[in-house]
Amino acid sequence: MKQKYKPLYEKFGLNVVYYRKRKKLTQLQLAELVDIDRSHISAIELGNVGVSFDVIFKMCEVLDIEPKNLFDFRE
């Protein structure tokens, strides 16, 4: 990840946290439903890793949102 994009990864991660909590899911529950490791969910939420489209699309199915919601960054 390029350092200049780190703030965007962090904003994406904050949106994942927001929608996960809105569905009253723990990181472990979301990870199991998306079929990835809990530590990967944590890294996504902290903005430490990039995310494949497959994971984004599956996460959106589980969270009942459109992919654009995860990219709607608040200031």
Side-chain angles (χ1 to χ4, degrees), residues 5-15 44-47:
Y5 296 128
K6 175 79 170 149
L8 297 175
Y9 282 75
E10 290 170 347
K11 288 179 181 182
F12 180 91
L14 288 174
N15 282 345
I44 292 168
E45 291 184 353
L46 293 171

Side-chain angles (χ1 to χ4, degrees), residues 9 12 16 30 34 36 40-41 44 49-71:
Y9 282 75
F12 180 91
V16 173
L30 179 58
V34 177
I36 61 176
H40 192 65
I41 290 288
I44 292 168
V49 295
V51 188
S52 72
F53 281 116
D54 288 347
V55 171
I56 290 171
F57 296 149
K58 182 65 178 176
M59 222 183 305
C60 289
E61 285 177 16
V62 169
L63 297 173
D64 269 335
I65 59 172
E66 296 294 321
K68 66 183 176 110
N69 295 108
L70 293 178
F71 293 95

